[in-house]
Amino acid sequence: EVQLVESGGGLVQPGGSLRLSCAASGFTVSSNYMSWVRQAPGKGLEWVSVIYSGGSTYYADSVKGRFTISRHNSKNTLYLQMNSLRAEDTAVYYCAIDSNGIFQHWGQGTLVTVSS
Amino acid sequence: EIVMTQSPATLSVSPGERATLSCRASQSVSSNLAWYQQKPGQAPRLLIYGASTRATGIPARFSGSGSGTEFTLTISSLQSEDFAVYYCQQYNNWPLWTFGQGTKVEIK
């Protein structure tokens, strides 16, 4: 059974950093495209970043230069390093298996709150 | 960036009635369109991809149609578990996937 479990969210001050993790089971992270999608409180969904099986990475303009997606193959885990955080980054962050843009499997999400 | 616009923002429907949700793309996305259902406190759930193909385990009362810039999600006879927020998403403009702002289906 495919399972995705995010962790690492919490309260951080503006300008701070946080690293999110997404532990996967039932499939191999490095063999799949993996994305992060976020949802601000009471708002819609926003795609954030993707890492392809070959290692290429892409980002939404809103996070480019501040966020870094990566993976640890032996731990079968996906990461999102978030630097220079802003209030507008406050959201629930989901990891998902990205099947050429179709998100069949999602984690339960982890909440990031950026506030002083 | 392709902008996805959903209408209406809120749809009030009685159980057993039909619900029709619309999604418009700012430019053609061919049939590269998915629909998701999200309930409070839960992750989104894939309903439809390829504009009209139901995902695994999705009941037949959910159907999708359209291509290009105009798409529709129809729920033929609303069940209590169908009251939720529905999002459309384009995956034609690689890799910048974008979602609509959502339609909330509420009990009338």
Side-chain angles (χ1 to χ4, degrees):
Chain A
E1 179 193 2
V2 171
Q3 200 166 14
L4 296 162
V5 179
E6 300 95 336
S7 61
L11 176 64
V12 62
Q13 292 189 338
S17 298
L18 212 54
R19 188 178 81 159
L20 306 183
S21 299
C22 171
S25 58
F27 73 102
T28 302
V29 165
S30 61
S31 299
N32 285 271
Y33 300 170
M34 299 293 299
S35 273
W36 288 95
V37 177
R38 68 184 180 182
Q39 185 171 36
K43 301 297 184 182
L45 300 163
E46 179 188 17
W47 173 80
V48 171
S49 180
V50 63
I51 183 167
Y52 289 124
S53 51
S56 299
T57 59
Y58 298 90
Y59 301 90
D61 287 345
S62 57
V63 306
K64 199 175 296 182
R66 301 187 298 122
F67 289 11
T68 303
I69 190 171
S70 64
R71 65 191 181 211
H72 193 300
N73 294 345
S74 64
K75 293 185 178 180
N76 209 33
T77 298
L78 177 73
Y79 301 102
L80 185 68
Q81 177 67 43
M82 304 185 295
N83 298 331
S84 302
L85 282 161
R86 307 166 180 168
E88 54 264 36
D89 296 318
T90 294
V92 174
Y93 285 74
Y94 298 99
C95 62
I97 301 176
D98 183 334
S99 301
N100 290 314
I102 302 168
F103 302 109
Q104 172 87 44
H105 299 282
W106 300 65
Q108 86 291 347
T110 187
L111 176 63
V112 173
T113 302
V114 184
S115 175
S116 54
Chain B
E1 175 184 318
I2 297 178
V3 177
M4 308 301 291
T5 302
Q6 292 185 240
S7 61
T10 303
L11 187 61
S12 298
V13 186
S14 299
E17 289 189 340
R18 182 187 198 91
T20 302
L21 290 66
S22 296
C23 175
R24 174 177 293 178
S26 61
Q27 64 189 77
S28 177
V29 298
S30 186
S31 294
N32 296 315
L33 191 284
W35 289 93
Y36 299 84
Q37 175 193 68
Q38 188 178 35
K39 296 179 181 179
Q42 296 185 16
R45 172 195 182 197
L46 177 67
L47 298 175
I48 301 283
Y49 62 94
S52 61
T53 303
R54 278 189 303 276
T56 304
I58 301 304
R61 64 181 181 272
F62 291 92
S63 63
S65 64
S67 66
T69 61
E70 300 285 341
F71 300 89
T72 301
L73 174 69
T74 302
I75 311 171
S76 59
S77 177
L78 271 158
Q79 307 297 303
S80 57
E81 61 267 30
D82 300 335
F83 293 96
V85 179
Y86 292 83
Y87 294 96
C88 62
Q89 175 232 339
Q90 66 79 21
Y91 52 95
N92 191 67
N93 186 30
W94 175 91
L96 301 177
W97 321 135
T98 49
F99 294 85
Q101 80 280 15
T103 290
K104 181 180 181 180
V105 177
E106 64 177 24
I107 301 174
K108 186 175 183 179

